[in-house]
Amino acid sequence: MKKIEAIIKPFKLEDVKEALSALGVEGMTVSEVKGFGRQKGHTEIYRGSEYTVDFLPKIKIEVVLGDGEVSRGSGQSSQDRENW
């Protein structure tokens, strides 16, 4: 068995869920997380004070697949990575 983890933007959750369901994935764990990477965060003004928002909201998806399913699941994620 293998555990696959992916961190995506929140608005892509439905697309990813539908793609995994089409592959026959029956269950997954979804967590709300915060992080930063290429997006680098942004600056906001709140009540006249400017502050930097470094950590942006993300969604972490965890899926556990049997050995026979791993190649299908990881292949799909790498094909759709640009769209997620």
Side-chain angles (χ1 to χ4, degrees):
M1 296 191 100
K2 299 286 183 180
K3 179 179 175 184
I4 298 174
E5 296 181 357
I7 303 209
I8 62 172
K9 295 177 184 177
F11 68 90
K12 291 291 190 176
L13 179 59
E14 273 308 307
D15 294 338
V16 173
K17 186 176 113 178
E18 289 172 8
L20 290 173
S21 293
L23 288 173
V25 174
E26 296 176 353
M28 67 183 80
T29 300
V30 177
S31 307
E32 293 182 8
V33 296
K34 293 187 178 212
F36 67 93
R38 285 182 271 165
Q39 291 176 306
K40 307 276 193 228
H42 60 278
T43 303
E44 290 186 2
I45 297 175
Y46 179 71
R47 294 188 177 182
S49 298
E50 186 175 301
Y51 66 98
T52 302
V53 178
D54 288 332
F55 292 99
L56 300 174
K58 305 286 182 182
I59 298 290
K60 180 179 180 180
I61 299 174
E62 299 171 85
V63 179
V64 177
L65 300 174
D67 291 331
E69 299 172 311
V70 171
S71 60
R72 278 190 315 171
S74 61
Q76 183 68 31
S77 66
S78 63
Q79 288 173 6
D80 291 338
R81 188 172 293 137
E82 294 300 318
N83 296 327
W84 293 357

